[in-house]
Amino acid sequence: NPSENGTDPVVATTSYRHIGGEAEANARLISAAPELLECLREWNSVMINSGTEGFDEILKRTEKAIAKAEGN
């Protein structure tokens, strides 16, 4: 939920020092976490309902979130 001043709340902060690929990968994963969680929830809903409506759109969004987490 937005804070009283209308901005999104801070979920996590990181400090960045180039100490190798792991820190960079962690920052990308943290950044992509909201999209990944949202897509996972939608996948779960589609699978529970065994329907295909919205499948292509969820697939596109999931691929985009995965690419973001991977730094692509």
Side-chain angles (χ1 to χ4, degrees):
N1 293 335
S3 64
E4 290 179 12
N5 65 5
T7 61
D8 290 330
V10 174
V11 175
T13 60
T14 63
S15 62
Y16 179 78
R17 289 182 293 141
H18 188 68
I19 56 174
E22 184 177 353
E24 200 171 319
N26 288 341
R28 285 195 307 267
L29 187 56
I30 289 168
S31 175
E35 289 99 328
L36 291 168
L37 178 58
E38 183 180 352
C39 291
L40 182 58
R41 286 179 173 151
E42 289 183 39
W43 271 115
N44 189 54
S45 178
V46 168
M47 293 300 116
I48 288 171
N49 296 319
S50 298
T52 58
E53 183 177 335
F55 182 84
D56 290 338
E57 179 60 31
I58 296 169
L59 179 60
K60 288 176 190 174
R61 291 178 53 222
T62 301
E63 289 171 343
K64 183 178 176 183
I66 291 169
K68 181 177 182 179
E70 294 176 339
N72 299 322

